[in-house]
Amino acid sequence: MINALHKIEPSWTVSQQIQAFCTTRQGGLSKAPFNSLNLGLNAGDHASDVLQNRSILSSALPAEPLWLKQIHGVTVSTPASRSALGNGPFEADASVTNIPNEVLAILTADCMPVLFASRNGDVIGAAHAGWRGLSGGILEKTVDQMIALSPGLRTSDISAWMGPAIGPSAFEVGEDVLKAFAQQDQGVLSKAFIPIVETPGKYLANLYLLARDRLRLIGIEQIEGGEFCTVSDSENFFSYRRDKVTGRFASLIWISNRP
């Protein structure tokens, strides 16, 4: 028997036109270690199970999601670039749209999914922000492309929601990660990277704090989410850091054209 789709809805105040949610690992057909609602086709799971899981997901959506081939880069998929490329999946780590019922999707299992919506609901974005993408500017580039789709849009009129990601007590990193952010002179580095005393050269990094700081630097103040930890919550979330072989959950957003 298939369980109902388990969803987490963003804790934000946006236009009623905006629909968004994040799946959990529950409610699908995949077998361990991908149990059960694995939505990632490239995680090592049986493709038939993943496609059935995606079919379960589709019952809650107005259209098939725009799945991306995520590569930890900073490319943003736009309506124009998708039209030029044809069929997906599109190689990018973020997407934007102003087309009603076009569903943007991000797959994660520790990296941070960030959803964006303009105040009047005319343009949205979704970004895959691991430390590489975050330090490379994927959030800023996503916002830039949203503004390109909505001339006159101000960053102060954009809301952001940070979905489930590896939490600050679980994300151990090395000097390379610290240096990637230190080169950009972020003011919160001393708070976002806590040295692990017993392991020189290692830190506990706070992706949520880093993301919130970068968004505020470009003028976004309406920032919600950040209360999750994929590593510690094995019941609800897949975690690559915890399990190595694991599935992927999805964060999705679209502009509804329902009255």
Side-chain angles (χ1 to χ4, degrees):
M1 181 177 179
I2 300 174
N3 293 328
L5 182 68
H6 291 240
K7 298 187 292 184
I8 296 171
E9 296 184 350
S11 52
W12 59 0
T13 301
V14 294
S15 165
Q16 291 185 343
Q17 288 182 282
I18 302 301
Q19 302 294 312
F21 65 85
C22 173
T23 64
T24 72
R25 68 181 301 166
Q26 300 181 30
L29 297 170
S30 292
K31 311 301 185 294
F34 306 101
N35 50 307
S36 63
L37 192 72
N38 169 37
L39 297 167
L41 277 170
N42 299 315
D45 195 3
H46 294 293
S48 59
D49 287 345
V50 178
L51 292 175
Q52 288 188 77
N53 290 339
R54 289 188 174 189
S55 179
I56 294 169
L57 172 65
S58 68
S59 66
L61 303 172
E64 178 70 11
L66 293 171
W67 300 110
L68 302 177
K69 181 181 179 182
Q70 300 169 190
I71 57 171
H72 299 276
V74 293
T75 298
V76 181
S77 174
T78 68
S81 69
R82 291 190 289 274
S83 178
L85 291 170
N87 295 331
F90 307 99
E91 188 172 290
D93 282 271
S95 54
V96 297
T97 193
N98 57 358
I99 301 171
N101 288 339
E102 193 167 54
V103 182
L104 308 183
I106 296 295
L107 290 172
T108 54
D110 281 337
C111 290
M112 186 193 316
V114 182
L115 303 180
F116 297 92
S118 63
R119 179 175 296 175
N120 64 7
D122 69 332
V123 61
I124 55 174
H128 165 234
W131 73 263
R132 289 181 179 85
L134 190 58
S135 65
I138 189 63
L139 300 186
E140 295 91 335
K141 292 179 184 296
T142 304
V143 171
D144 286 344
Q145 291 300 328
M146 289 177 64
I147 292 172
L149 286 180
S150 182
L153 177 66
R154 300 174 300 177
T155 54
S156 59
D157 290 328
I158 295 175
S159 296
W161 180 71
M162 302 181 295
I166 186 170
S169 63
F171 192 27
E172 182 177 324
V173 301
E175 293 281 358
D176 57 330
V177 179
L178 173 61
K179 289 178 180 177
F181 289 94
Q183 292 172 354
Q184 299 166 54
D185 195 30
Q186 277 197 252
V188 298
L189 288 184
S190 62
K191 295 180 180 178
F193 291 89
I194 305 301
I196 300 175
V197 177
E198 61 272 22
T199 312
K202 295 291 184 180
Y203 305 83
L204 288 175
N206 190 329
L207 276 180
Y208 290 127
L209 180 57
L210 289 164
R212 186 176 285 109
D213 183 57
R214 294 180 77 99
L215 291 171
R216 285 177 173 162
L217 284 172
I218 61 172
I220 296 179
E221 291 293 338
Q222 302 169 70
I223 308 166
E224 303 294 340
E227 68 268 32
F228 308 96
C229 179
T230 48
V231 175
S232 62
D233 191 350
S234 59
E235 180 180 354
N236 287 307
F237 302 120
F238 297 111
S239 169
Y240 181 81
R241 178 67 65 107
R242 183 187 63 233
D243 300 326
K244 301 304 179 186
V245 179
T246 192
R248 302 293 186 271
F249 57 88
S251 297
L252 309 110
I253 185 169
W254 68 96
I255 303 169
S256 175
N257 63 356
R258 292 179 300 178

